[in-house]
Amino acid sequence: MRVALNARILQAPRTGIGHYVAELAPALAGEPGLELTLFHGWGWSSELPAAAMPGYSRLSPWLRQVPGAYQARRWLEQRRFDQGRHATIDLYHEPSLWPMSFEGPIVMTLHDLTHVHYPATQPPARLKEIERRLGAGMEQARVILTDSQFVAEEAQDYFGLPRERFVVAPLGAAPRFHPREPAELEPCLATYGLQAHSYLLCVGTLEPRKNLSQALLAHARLPETLRQRYPLLIVGMAGWEQGQFSDTLQKALASSHVRLLGYLPDEQLAQLVAGARALVFPSRYEGFGLPVLEAMASGTPVVLARCAAMPEVADTAGNYVNPDDVDGLRHAMLRLIEDDGHWQACHEAGLQQAKLFSWGRCARITARAYRQAMGG
């Protein structure tokens, strides 16, 4: 079976969907009877790019204001897609929201409905294009993959599609996310003046649905001595309309107890995850919550909101809070800082829970979905 996977998103610095493509593609390469080809937006290759294109932007701010900019780029990509495949593809897999036109079987991955629940996280022109194309793509796809049962069920309701069109393929944690000894972490942590298990960590794009403002407020309510000993590190790219909580962030940064590190290379992030006392992840909405799984695979306890798909990932290994309960979030942080027995229990429970997920399993389910779409 000759499969085309749209890997255009790998031109950008890797966040959720980019990591999905980067990890799924090599895992699929080990599936018998499957020949995978990657479409990179402007051409075809059998190899993953080593890194994002220098200076890449999905669409520059000034170009977003040009009428039809998204449509024009999409038209050019469609031309490249049509010219390169030469009728040698049996099935096309679209891992994001905008499937290309293809006359054969299509499998599509729907990671979440963020654009429905939080439309402000999308630039207006992009949101309009998603709304124009997504419904048609969902109708055309023979099989729709989701990362969680939660997304499968809400998509069935929202789009009015039958349950048999959906296949749940949970994600995995990359091998770089594993427990590490303090000595291994020392060179990385020393650059930030940190020691292993002496800080709290937030990971995610800076946008309102991630609810980082609550994490900042909860951390600010810890005793002064603990805030000095356990600063809060925030790792992630700037998001759309991040200014909605910029005042809270600026006040926290002024205290020196919060550090905004921005987007970090994969290995550096993996070391920071492994060295954290806890991952603080109070997001209001996630189609899966990959940082939660990556933290558990690293042996790092997780504080998270009991929202959306995240309980499917953490199950009983998570420390759950109400996303609007600042004091509850503060208490969860405090317990993981002060109660070594609880920390150890969460460490062990997370490692066991993470073993249930792997990219190999995701690839096997995905390959079965391909065969289902082909009628096999």
Side-chain angles (χ1 to χ4, degrees):
M1 185 193 317
R2 297 163 298 184
V3 175
L5 176 64
N6 191 346
R8 182 184 63 82
I9 197 166
L10 295 182
Q11 295 175 4
R14 292 174 190 175
T15 55
I17 300 177
H19 286 300
Y20 170 77
V21 174
E23 298 298 336
L24 179 62
L28 284 171
E31 288 296 307
L34 195 155
E35 179 184 327
L36 191 67
T37 302
L38 305 178
F39 177 64
H40 292 293
W42 305 109
W44 295 84
S45 173
S46 60
E47 302 293 331
L48 287 169
M53 292 176 60
Y56 175 86
S57 172
R58 285 185 174 87
L59 211 60
S60 60
W62 69 267
L63 193 55
R64 289 175 185 153
Q65 310 306 317
V66 178
Y70 278 99
Q71 293 91 327
R73 188 176 72 176
R74 189 65 172 188
W75 180 83
L76 289 171
E77 290 175 352
Q78 184 69 56
R79 288 287 301 270
R80 291 288 188 178
F81 184 88
D82 294 337
Q83 293 169 358
R85 54 187 173 82
H86 302 301
T88 60
I89 296 169
D90 298 316
L91 179 144
Y92 160 49
H93 181 181
E94 173 53 56
S96 189
L97 296 174
W98 299 2
M100 310 291 290
S101 295
F102 180 64
E103 65 276 11
I106 295 176
V107 170
M108 180 177 171
T109 302
L110 181 69
H111 298 278
D112 55 51
L113 292 179
T114 299
H115 71 285
V116 174
H117 300 295
Y118 294 92
T121 63
Q122 302 288 339
R126 176 178 167 84
L127 178 63
K128 184 178 180 179
E129 194 69 2
I130 291 172
E131 292 173 340
R132 188 170 76 90
R133 291 182 176 273
L134 178 57
M138 295 283 286
E139 289 285 349
Q140 189 178 3
R142 292 190 184 179
V143 175
I144 300 160
L145 291 163
T146 64
D147 305 336
S148 63
Q149 186 64 37
F150 170 83
V151 172
E153 291 176 359
E154 72 166 357
Q156 290 162 30
D157 292 340
Y158 183 80
F159 292 101
L161 296 174
R163 182 168 59 182
E164 56 267 23
R165 295 268 301 279
F166 290 83
V167 173
V168 178
L171 311 183
R176 62 182 175 274
F177 293 100
H178 60 84
R180 302 178 188 235
E181 294 296 327
E184 179 186 354
L185 297 170
E186 186 175 358
C188 173
L189 299 186
T191 63
Y192 300 103
L194 299 170
Q195 294 181 344
H197 310 312
S198 67
Y199 57 92
L200 303 171
L201 182 67
C202 288
V203 176
T205 302
L206 301 183
E207 58 184 50
R209 74 178 171 96
K210 297 296 185 179
N211 206 27
L212 296 182
S213 58
Q214 297 296 87
L216 295 170
L217 291 171
H219 187 262
R221 294 185 185 182
L222 292 174
E224 172 75 17
T225 54
L226 288 184
R227 277 183 282 149
Q228 290 178 347
R229 288 173 51 199
Y230 294 90
L232 180 65
L233 277 57
I234 300 177
V235 176
M237 294 178 64
W240 185 252
E241 298 295 350
Q242 68 190 74
Q244 292 185 32
F245 57 84
S246 61
D247 288 345
T248 304
L249 179 59
Q250 291 302 323
K251 289 178 181 177
L253 290 172
S255 73
S256 78
H257 300 142
V258 174
R259 306 182 194 178
L260 188 61
L261 303 186
Y263 182 85
L264 297 179
D266 290 346
E267 176 59 23
Q268 193 171 353
L269 173 60
Q271 293 195 40
L272 282 174
V273 170
R277 183 70 178 184
L279 176 75
V280 181
F281 199 77
S283 178
R284 298 180 182 276
Y285 179 84
E286 296 290 330
F288 185 80
L290 193 53
V292 171
L293 177 59
E294 292 168 343
M296 293 190 303
S298 304
T300 299
V302 180
V303 178
L304 71 165
R306 194 181 292 277
C307 294
M310 290 177 287
E312 291 183 46
V313 180
D315 198 24
T316 59
N319 294 270
Y320 293 100
V321 297
N322 182 313
D324 295 311
D325 184 359
V326 175
D327 280 333
L329 184 53
R330 178 194 61 82
H331 176 74
M333 293 180 184
L334 192 62
R335 188 179 182 193
L336 285 170
I337 289 173
E338 296 185 329
D339 189 337
D340 289 335
H342 177 63
W343 186 94
Q344 187 65 31
C346 293
H347 164 84
E348 294 172 0
L351 288 173
Q352 291 302 312
Q353 177 67 10
K355 291 179 181 178
L356 301 177
F357 300 84
S358 73
W359 285 111
R361 177 193 178 203
C362 183
R364 288 191 294 273
I365 297 173
T366 301
R368 287 201 298 268
Y370 293 165
R371 290 190 286 270
Q372 177 181 334
M374 292 291 293

